[in-house]
Amino acid sequence: MAETRRLRGHKAAATCCIASRSRPGLIATAAEDGNVCWFDMRCKDAVFTMDVANHNPISSICFKPGNEDIIYASSGNEVKCFEVNMGNSSKQLESYNYNKDEINQIACTVNSSFLAAADDSGDVKIVDIRQQCLYKTLRAGHTSICSSVQFVPWKPWQVVTGGLDSKLVVWDYSKGRPQKIVDFGMPDARNEEKTGQCLNPAFVHALALPEVDMVDKVGKICVAAKGDGVVDILNIDSDLNSSSKSKRSSNKPKDPSQGQNWRLDHTLGRHTAAVSCVAFSVFGGEKGKFIISGGNDKQVRVWDWTKLVINDGTNTSSNDLLNLQLNLSRKVNWLCTAPTDSDNLVVCDTSKVVKVYTIA
């Protein structure tokens, strides 16, 4: 599939992107040039550009749930909050400097009460947005860089983190301690041979959780994009350390909330290099039907992962699951999906031009 358009506005490599849910077709992208560019898919060029980080790279951006006129952006060890007037202006509301090291990702709770910032030290700072103060520091869960963080939409005090120590940690952030840990670096957790894997550690580069309106259909799962080229689908309300191999059973469709874990690995045509990003589809009649992953192999893969659930993983091949494969010319930094019938996949690669594709 050819790209449908190119979004131009950045002067350096685009690092991340987000798509509006309340205003379909509105996209925000951030880059190493320190700018956030806003695009309306009905227009050709950027409709508005914000100088957020004074030419320093922006690592992550997110909307404030329930009010997408508010956006958060992280650069270095700082998180800034802006109120955006899409006409021609933006106003900085506040900033948070609680992280001691460079921030890799930020995320907000569904009710906009808390913000999480994961950094290179392995710490995660939980900020009370309403009180504008540090609420908790999550420490000792990771022994290396904490690369990703996502709140659990169906559990008010849970947050999930992933790191370059190959660990995924589920935290109770009200108490500041881990509840569950899975170590993908352990042979039993990865369920793979060790041969050659020292060159491709199972670092957790990105996480995706279904939004609230998807949970009833897709289950209470977490998707992890990993350095060994595997995309893991984990039921985080079950024992994360249980085997992710499927067991043969009846043809009755399985409920993914009932404790089953899955993996898109070498048997199903996994990425040939580290998976850098992952997202659920929010377009079409079945939100969450597709898991979309991008990697350092310069590929974007669109997985119809629901066929794993229907078949219980039995006799399922890459031809069954891989709905679409996009071969790009550069490594993928980030991607997101938009709730529109066309122009619904946005990809940031290592160039300054953001690419848009139609998947639905």
Side-chain angles (χ1 to χ4, degrees), residues 256-271:
S257 67
Q258 297 304 310
Q260 184 66 66
N261 298 330
W262 313 98
R263 51 195 303 113
L264 304 174
D265 59 13
H266 66 283
T267 65
L268 298 173
R270 73 178 178 190
H271 286 270

Side-chain angles (χ1 to χ4, degrees), residues 40-235:
D40 186 329
M41 289 306 186
R42 297 169 296 182
C43 306
K44 182 178 179 180
D45 300 315
V47 295
F48 181 50
T49 299
M50 298 166 50
D51 183 2
V52 169
N54 193 25
H55 306 295
N56 293 310
I58 299 172
S59 57
S60 182
I61 53 176
C62 69
F63 287 120
K64 182 177 183 179
N67 183 3
E68 292 185 349
D69 290 331
I70 305 294
I71 188 172
Y72 296 92
S74 60
S75 178
N77 64 348
E78 184 178 18
V79 179
K80 295 181 180 180
C81 176
F82 293 87
E83 183 176 21
V84 181
N85 180 339
M86 290 309 300
N88 55 12
S89 66
S90 63
K91 178 176 71 173
Q92 184 171 334
L93 300 180
E94 65 255 4
S95 65
Y96 306 116
N97 296 86
Y98 300 118
N99 293 79
K100 303 300 183 183
D101 216 327
E102 186 170 350
I103 297 169
N104 294 303
Q105 190 175 31
I106 56 175
C108 272
T109 55
V110 174
N111 62 4
S112 302
S113 296
F114 297 97
L115 178 141
D119 67 30
D120 276 359
S121 72
D123 289 354
V124 181
K125 301 294 183 179
I126 305 294
V127 179
D128 186 326
I129 294 174
R130 294 172 181 173
Q131 299 297 322
Q132 297 186 22
C133 65
L134 180 65
Y135 175 75
K136 200 80 69 175
T137 296
L138 307 183
R139 184 173 288 134
H142 294 284
T143 57
S144 184
I145 292 170
C146 186
S147 53
S148 186
V149 60
Q150 294 290 329
F151 285 100
V152 180
W154 56 89
K155 288 287 185 69
W157 296 104
Q158 274 192 357
V159 68
V160 185
T161 61
L164 301 195
D165 53 2
S166 302
K167 291 180 182 178
L168 181 148
V169 183
V170 181
W171 302 80
D172 180 338
Y173 66 88
S174 68
K175 298 177 181 177
R177 62 180 183 228
Q179 289 184 315
K180 302 176 183 178
I181 299 175
V182 60
D183 187 349
F184 291 112
M186 299 297 291
D188 58 339
R190 296 175 62 185
N191 199 25
E192 292 186 90
E193 296 181 1
K194 293 182 180 180
T195 307
Q197 292 305 317
C198 61
L199 302 177
N200 300 288
F203 297 159
V204 180
H205 290 293
L207 300 170
L209 279 80
E211 297 181 16
V212 173
D213 57 357
M214 297 182 194
V215 172
D216 287 344
K217 291 187 176 180
V218 307
K220 298 175 179 179
I221 58 174
C222 174
V223 182
K226 292 162 40 194
D228 55 3
V230 175
V231 176
D232 270 277
I233 305 166
L234 304 170
N235 183 283

